[in-house]
């Protein structure tokens, strides 16, 4: 639990809406834009109109959805659970191919889907989570977090199996769940009280149901990657050095890629 920057002996879960420093009840000054610390409360707040209040439009979210849909249509398989074809063969995540040097599969697999229900569910969650997060944290940070989680998800999927092809944006989407949980937490909200925690748990449990052939390793890897990346940005913002957050994401992505390459040559498949 963080402590008030003016009263180190007092724990608090609330941060200044302007500088993000933790503040206790005695230091909270209610304003039209949330609680502020005494110093920031004295500053005049610039008034913005329209979308500027919320931040960026969800351009990256929309772009990712459009690319996923275009690739799905190009695959030409529109059944409930379909996979195959030249696109799947050249871009899906498959351990032996990554081991031989097809490193692009760590990214491209996140834009492929195995059926209409698969892409429909992932794109719905991506839109719900993405349009919330991107407006709040900005398009650049959102894009960095998304692709960091995607790479961590690919690493997790290969840790689980290198004997089966894996596709889908699920790892990155789970990463967004983790990012949103940290973002809500640092703003003083309990992720479990709003249903986000339950959504994460339900989707994790679904991944372990026998017979569904879901790469639960990708879900776990993406979730852990998103959580760690979001914590990194939280620390960086408190230090007022945003570059540390980007550096942390770069380090996470590098570790994920190195780990994925290291395990890709070992044939294995773990399931419950």
């Amino acid at each position: 639990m963080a402590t008030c920057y003016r009263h180190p002996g007092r724990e608090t879960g609330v941060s200044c809406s302007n500088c993000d420093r933790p503040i206790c009840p005695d230091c909270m000054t209610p304003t039209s834009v949330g609680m502020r610390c005494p110093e920031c409360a004295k500053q005049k707040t610039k008034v913005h109109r329209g979308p500027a209040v919320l931040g960026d439009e969800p351009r990256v979210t929309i772009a990712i959805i459009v690319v996923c849909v275009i690739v799905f249509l190009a695959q030409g398989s529109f059944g409930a659970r379909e996979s195959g074809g030249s696109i799947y063969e050249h871009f899906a995540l498959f351990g032996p191919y990554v081991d031989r040097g097809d490193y692009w599969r760590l990214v491209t697999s996140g834009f492929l889907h195995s059926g209409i229900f698969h892409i429909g569910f992932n794109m719905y969650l991506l839109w719900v989570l993405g349009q919330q997060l991107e407006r709040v944290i900005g398009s650049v940070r959102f894009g960095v977090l998304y692709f960091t989680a995607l790479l961590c998800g690919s690493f997790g999927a290969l840790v689980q199996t290198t004997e089966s092809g894996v596709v889908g944006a699920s790892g990155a989407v789970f990463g967004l769940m983790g990012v949103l949980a940290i973002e809500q937490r640092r703003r003083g909200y309990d992720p479990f009280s709003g249903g986000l925690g339950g959504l994460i748990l339900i989707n994790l449990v679904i991944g372990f149901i026998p017979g569904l052939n879901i790469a639960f390793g990708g879900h776990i890897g993406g979730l852990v990657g998103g959580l760690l990346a979001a914590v990194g940005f939280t620390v960086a913002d408190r230090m007022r050095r945003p570059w540390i957050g980007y550096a942390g994401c770069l380090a996470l992505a590098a570790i994920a890629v190195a780990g994925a390459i290291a395990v890709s040559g070992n044939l294995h498949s773990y399931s419950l």
Side-chain angles (χ1 to χ4, degrees):
M1 178 71 72
T3 58
C4 177
Y5 80 98
R6 299 177 78 235
H7 303 95
R10 300 180 185 178
E11 294 184 344
T12 179
V14 180
S15 299
C16 173
S17 61
N18 184 53
C19 68
D20 205 38
R21 290 181 293 185
I23 48 178
C24 68
D26 289 342
C27 297
M28 296 177 191
T29 302
T31 70
S32 59
V33 290
M35 293 293 182
R36 287 196 167 182
C37 66
E39 288 81 1
C40 293
K42 297 175 183 178
Q43 302 174 2
K44 291 184 178 180
T45 303
K46 295 182 180 180
V47 177
H48 300 277
R49 296 183 181 275
V53 175
L54 294 174
D56 295 344
E57 290 296 315
R59 297 183 181 90
V60 175
T61 300
I62 294 172
I64 293 171
I65 292 175
V66 169
V67 172
C68 286
V69 171
I70 290 175
V71 172
F72 179 72
L73 294 175
Q75 286 179 254
S77 300
F78 310 124
R81 287 190 63 84
E82 297 289 340
S83 62
S86 61
I87 293 179
Y88 185 93
E89 180 182 349
H90 289 92
F91 299 104
L93 183 66
F94 187 50
Y97 289 167
V98 173
D99 184 52
R100 75 180 186 186
D102 293 0
Y103 303 138
W104 64 81
R105 294 173 182 270
L106 299 174
V107 175
T108 57
S109 60
F111 293 89
L112 276 64
H113 291 83
S114 61
I116 190 68
F117 294 122
H118 189 204
I119 188 173
F121 185 68
N122 278 344
M123 293 305 99
Y124 171 73
L125 283 179
L126 174 55
W127 172 249
V128 171
L129 297 167
Q131 59 91 19
Q132 292 184 60
L133 274 172
E134 191 171 350
R135 291 177 186 273
V136 173
I137 66 178
S139 294
V140 174
R141 182 175 295 193
F142 175 83
V144 169
L145 287 166
Y146 184 87
F147 282 97
T148 299
L150 190 158
L151 289 170
C152 290
S154 294
F155 176 30
L158 288 176
V159 168
Q160 179 198 343
T161 179
T162 57
E163 296 182 358
S164 302
V166 178
V167 295
S170 303
V173 170
F174 264 84
L176 294 184
M177 292 184 194
V179 173
L180 184 57
I182 297 298
E183 189 66 26
Q184 289 183 349
R185 186 66 180 173
R186 81 167 186 166
R187 292 171 182 268
Y189 300 104
D190 181 0
F192 283 89
S193 66
L196 177 61
L199 179 66
I200 295 174
L201 291 176
I202 290 173
N203 281 277
L204 280 176
V205 170
I206 291 175
F208 292 118
I209 297 178
L212 293 183
N213 296 320
I214 295 175
F216 60 83
H219 294 178
I220 296 173
L223 178 61
V224 172
L227 287 169
L228 292 176
V231 169
F233 270 113
T234 298
V235 173
D237 288 342
R238 287 180 177 175
M239 297 173 64
R240 299 190 179 184
R241 290 177 172 81
W243 66 268
I244 294 179
Y246 291 103
C249 285
L250 180 61
L252 276 174
I255 292 171
V257 170
I261 294 173
V263 302
S264 62
N266 177 21
L267 289 180
H268 62 271
S269 182
Y270 304 116
S271 60
L272 298 180

